[in-house]
């Protein structure tokens, strides 16, 4: 029972990402606005303090000077000091002066942004201080920062107190208004940025949606869908990786399908033969022996077919080859010795390459012996079959040459296909997989297999493997001539006749 497919809410991931990003950005903007307001309030406090300090210093400087009306020092005349100071100094915005003499208001700024005279409790308390004082005062007009400076007469007794007050409500309101305006602008920018990010995120996530849609269209019978790759970022790398995965799956499914089709196609005949022979088998011992011989032969053929199909299936896997460095002369000689056991033919080792090569010796032995078996099956008894190897630069060549009937040119293109029995191969006992295995092994080594008619008739099968020969220290690779190359053979070329 298949599970119901879950359908993702469209835009859900994009909404979560943008929602989280917008939340983080909104919190950051809020923190920035709070920090900005606190900084502006702190600057306001410093500015007010600086203004009050300046006014106090000016008052102190005036008290130590002379009365401009008499030209004499003030001499502790606090009324004159207060009067001259207020005549000469104009309060800045939201600033007010209050002069208290003998505990009673003497002079004050008119009109005042904040009426300190009406705050009798404050006037009575400040009028009795003997040391300077600064502080904050709550008024109906708003918070006030003040500094009180006591002045003494000629006898050293405190007779007056001068209060310099600064109303900060208006500046605070301006700061709050600026903060609100900044918040509105930031909110608008956040909204526009979120909208643009939503659109851009949709474009950036398009490959992910394509991946999802492609994954939904994939089935065991259709692996053709691919995701278009745009750019060279992480999303593009994800699309590339997904496409590569589909390529591997397609190869795997195709290999599996080919294996099943080939196995079903080729095993059907021996199974039918076995079933027919068993159904017709009588009780005669001789007849039973003949039937069992046929059954054994068909079972052997089925076993070989299965083994060949498994080899072709494994050729698509990464661990199909186990390359190692091998000595070519020994490998070629070993191939020649093993091939002689395949049939009674005139076997000849015509050339052996010298030096080393990096390849899978077992798979290469399998490929060359398949070529030799193919020659034995289709070349007449006592005909000549030649085996050899040679190198050209870093390219290695193995060949098997027989003197049997020449394969027609029209058959050469498809003779390496599975279950091919064209031309001279008709009537053979094999399943038509041997040459397919040769091609698979050659291609797994990065090479190819070639077929051409021999110079004197017959067929010349050659496995060409580029880039496998290990060069000498001087950068050169050994070379041994092959058949038909012209010229006499040197001491690296041998000819053995059996």
């Amino acid at each position: 029972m298949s599970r119901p497919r879950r359908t993702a809410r469209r835009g859900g991931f994009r909404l979560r990402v943008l929602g989280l990003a917008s939340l983080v950005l909104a919190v950051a903007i809020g923190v920035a606005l709070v920090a900005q307001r606190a900084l502006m309030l702190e600057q306001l406090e410093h500015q007010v303090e600086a203004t009050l300090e300046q006014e106090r210093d000016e008052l102190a400087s005036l008290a130590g000077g002379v009365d401009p009306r008499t030209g004499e020092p003030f001499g502790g005349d606090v009324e004159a000091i207060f009067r001259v100071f207020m005549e000469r100094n104009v309060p800045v915005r939201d600033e007010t002066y209050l002069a208290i003499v003998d505990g009673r208001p003497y002079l004050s700024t008119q009109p005042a942004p904040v009426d300190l005279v009406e705050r009798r409790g404050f006037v009575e308390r400040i009028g009795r201080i003997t040391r300077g004082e600064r502080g904050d005062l709550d008024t109906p007009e708003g918070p006030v920062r003040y500094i009180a400076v006591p002045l003494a007469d000629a006898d050293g007794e405190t007779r007056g107190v001068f209060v310099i007050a600064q109303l900060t409500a208006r500046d605070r309101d301006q700061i709050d208004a600026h903060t609100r305006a900044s918040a509105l602008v930031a909110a608008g920018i956040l909204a526009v940025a979120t909208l643009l990010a939503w659109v851009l995120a949709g474009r950036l996530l398009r490959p992910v949606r394509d991946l999802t849609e492609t994954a939904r269209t994939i089935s065991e019978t259709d692996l053709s869908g691919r995701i278009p790759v745009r750019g060279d970022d992480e999303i593009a790398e994800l699309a590339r990786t997904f496409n590569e995965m589909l390529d591997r799956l397609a190869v795997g499914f195709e290999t599996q399908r080919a294996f099943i089709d080939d196995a079903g196609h080729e095993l059907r005949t021996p199974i039918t033969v076995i079933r027919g022979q068993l159904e017709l088998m009588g009780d005669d011992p001789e007849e039973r022996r003949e039937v069992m011989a046929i059954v054994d032969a068909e079972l052997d053929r089925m076993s070989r077919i299965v083994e060949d199909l498994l080899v072709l299936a494994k050729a698509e896997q990464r661990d199909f080859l186990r390359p190692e460095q091998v000595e070519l002369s020994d490998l070629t000689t070993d191939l020649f010795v093993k091939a002689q056991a395949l049939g009674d033919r005139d076997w000849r080792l015509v050339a052996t390459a010298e030096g080393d090569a990096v390849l899978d010796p077992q798979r290469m032995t399998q490929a060359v012996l398949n070529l030799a078996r193919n020659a034995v099956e289709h070349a007449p008894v006592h005909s000549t079959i030649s085996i050899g190897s040679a190198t050209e630069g870093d390219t290695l060549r193995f060949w098997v040459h027989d003197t049997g009937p020449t394969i027609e040119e029209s058959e050469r293109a498809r003779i390496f296909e599975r279950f091919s029995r064209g031309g001279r191969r008709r009537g053979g006992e094999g399943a038509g997989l041997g040459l397919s295995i040769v091609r698979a092994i050659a291609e797994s080594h990065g090479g190819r297999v070639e077929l051409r008619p021999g110079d004197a008739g017959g067929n010349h099968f050659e496995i060409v493997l580029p880039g496998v020969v290990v060069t000498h220290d001087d950068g050169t690779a050994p070379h041994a001539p092959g058949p038909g190359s012209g010229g006499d053979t040197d001491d690296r070329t041998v000819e053995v006749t059996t």
Side-chain angles (χ1 to χ4, degrees):
M1 179 179 177
S2 61
R3 297 181 180 179
R5 185 171 62 187
R6 298 177 59 185
T7 302
R9 184 164 56 91
R10 187 171 182 85
F13 176 75
R14 179 167 50 160
L15 182 62
R16 289 196 302 271
V17 171
L18 289 182
L20 181 60
S22 299
L23 177 62
V24 172
L25 186 58
V27 171
I29 292 175
V31 172
L33 290 175
V34 171
Q36 180 189 40
R37 182 178 184 275
L39 180 61
M40 294 176 68
L41 289 175
E42 184 179 0
Q43 291 176 345
L44 175 62
E45 296 294 330
H46 288 307
Q47 180 180 353
V48 171
E49 286 290 338
T51 302
L52 296 179
E53 292 287 345
Q54 178 183 357
E55 300 287 0
R56 184 192 64 181
D57 294 341
E58 291 178 359
L59 179 63
S61 176
L62 177 64
V66 297
D67 188 342
R69 294 181 178 180
T70 63
E72 300 293 333
F74 283 105
D77 187 356
V78 295
E79 289 91 342
I81 295 174
F82 290 156
R83 186 173 56 254
V84 172
F85 181 84
M86 295 188 68
E87 288 176 353
R88 289 185 174 182
N89 291 274
V90 178
V92 298
R93 191 190 69 173
D94 294 334
E95 188 178 49
T96 185
Y97 300 147
L98 172 62
I100 302 174
V101 178
D102 297 329
R104 293 187 301 273
Y106 175 65
L107 293 173
S108 65
T109 302
Q110 295 297 330
V114 56
D115 192 358
L116 296 179
V117 177
E118 296 297 328
R119 304 188 66 82
R120 300 183 182 278
F122 172 75
V123 173
E124 293 177 359
R125 184 182 66 80
I126 291 298
R128 295 192 298 267
I129 65 173
T130 58
R131 301 178 60 182
E133 178 181 311
R134 70 179 63 220
D136 295 307
L137 183 66
D138 291 331
T139 67
E141 293 82 3
V144 172
R145 174 67 57 86
Y146 70 89
I147 183 171
V149 183
L151 294 181
D153 57 12
D155 298 330
E157 294 183 1
T158 301
R159 285 202 58 216
V161 177
F162 195 81
V163 178
I164 307 165
Q166 178 77 42
L167 180 66
T168 61
R170 186 180 300 179
D171 291 329
R172 289 177 178 270
D173 290 341
Q174 289 182 352
I175 291 175
D176 291 339
H178 181 274
T179 303
R180 288 192 296 270
S182 299
L184 291 176
V185 172
I189 294 175
L190 178 61
V192 174
T194 302
L195 180 61
L196 293 177
W198 175 269
V199 176
L200 293 176
R203 297 185 62 180
L204 291 175
L205 292 176
R206 183 180 302 169
V208 178
R209 293 197 301 271
D210 293 341
L211 187 151
T212 303
E213 296 300 328
T214 303
R216 286 175 178 170
T217 60
I218 292 174
S219 64
E220 294 183 1
T221 57
D222 184 12
L223 292 173
S224 60
R226 294 296 182 272
I227 301 175
V229 179
R230 305 181 184 90
D232 195 25
D233 54 10
E234 291 82 356
I235 298 296
E237 182 64 23
L238 173 63
R240 255 190 303 270
T241 303
F242 187 80
N243 289 339
E244 292 172 358
M245 180 193 69
L246 290 180
D247 292 338
R248 293 193 297 270
L249 288 176
V251 171
F253 281 130
E254 184 63 27
T255 301
Q256 183 185 48
R257 187 180 300 111
F259 178 85
I260 294 174
D261 293 343
D262 294 344
H265 172 271
E266 193 62 23
L267 294 178
R268 187 179 296 112
T269 299
I271 291 175
T272 302
V273 172
I274 293 173
R275 180 182 292 112
Q277 292 293 329
L278 292 177
E279 289 177 353
L280 298 176
M281 185 176 62
D283 296 331
D284 182 64
E286 184 63 25
E287 182 182 354
R288 293 176 68 89
R289 280 193 296 270
E290 293 177 356
V291 170
M292 293 307 299
I294 296 175
V295 171
D296 288 340
E298 292 299 318
L299 290 176
D300 290 340
R301 188 157 74 95
M302 290 173 61
S303 177
R304 180 176 173 183
I305 292 173
V306 172
E307 291 177 358
D308 290 346
L309 289 173
L310 289 175
V311 170
L312 291 174
K314 291 178 180 178
E316 305 293 341
Q317 302 176 4
R318 294 183 178 180
D319 59 348
F320 176 65
L321 296 181
R322 296 181 180 179
E324 59 184 76
Q325 186 168 321
V326 297
E327 208 287 318
L328 295 175
S329 178
D330 293 342
L331 177 60
T332 306
T333 303
D334 185 58
L335 291 174
F336 175 72
V337 173
K338 292 179 179 179
Q340 295 179 70
L342 297 177
D344 184 13
R345 300 293 186 273
D346 180 13
W347 295 95
R348 296 186 180 183
L349 179 61
V350 296
T352 59
E354 289 187 353
D356 296 335
V358 178
L359 50 81
D360 187 332
Q362 295 184 359
R363 293 299 184 191
M364 194 51 55
T365 298
Q366 184 179 16
V368 174
L369 291 184
N370 274 356
L371 292 178
R373 183 182 295 109
N374 178 76
V376 170
E377 291 179 354
H378 303 289
V381 179
H382 303 305
S383 61
T384 300
I385 300 177
S386 302
I387 294 178
S389 64
T391 59
E392 297 177 359
D394 63 350
T395 300
L396 173 62
R397 298 174 181 270
F398 288 101
W399 66 82
V400 175
H401 182 87
D402 66 68
T403 56
T406 302
I407 299 176
E408 298 295 334
E409 184 176 359
S410 60
E411 301 292 340
R412 294 172 197 160
R414 65 185 186 90
I415 196 170
F416 294 100
E417 298 177 0
R418 297 183 182 184
F419 304 111
S420 174
R421 293 190 177 89
R424 70 193 280 273
R425 302 193 63 195
R426 293 189 181 96
E429 297 179 356
L433 294 173
L435 296 182
S436 298
I437 293 175
V438 175
R439 182 177 65 178
I441 293 175
E443 291 177 350
S444 297
H445 281 84
R448 63 188 185 277
V449 59
E450 299 176 349
L451 168 61
R452 63 178 182 270
D455 295 339
N459 303 278
H460 183 83
F461 289 85
E462 187 168 88
I463 300 174
V464 183
L465 306 179
V468 300
V469 176
V470 179
T471 58
H472 290 155
D473 294 338
D474 59 359
T476 62
H479 171 72
S485 60
D488 298 332
T489 60
D490 57 18
D491 57 352
R492 290 169 295 181
T493 304
V494 296
E495 183 170 337
V496 180
T497 303
T498 60

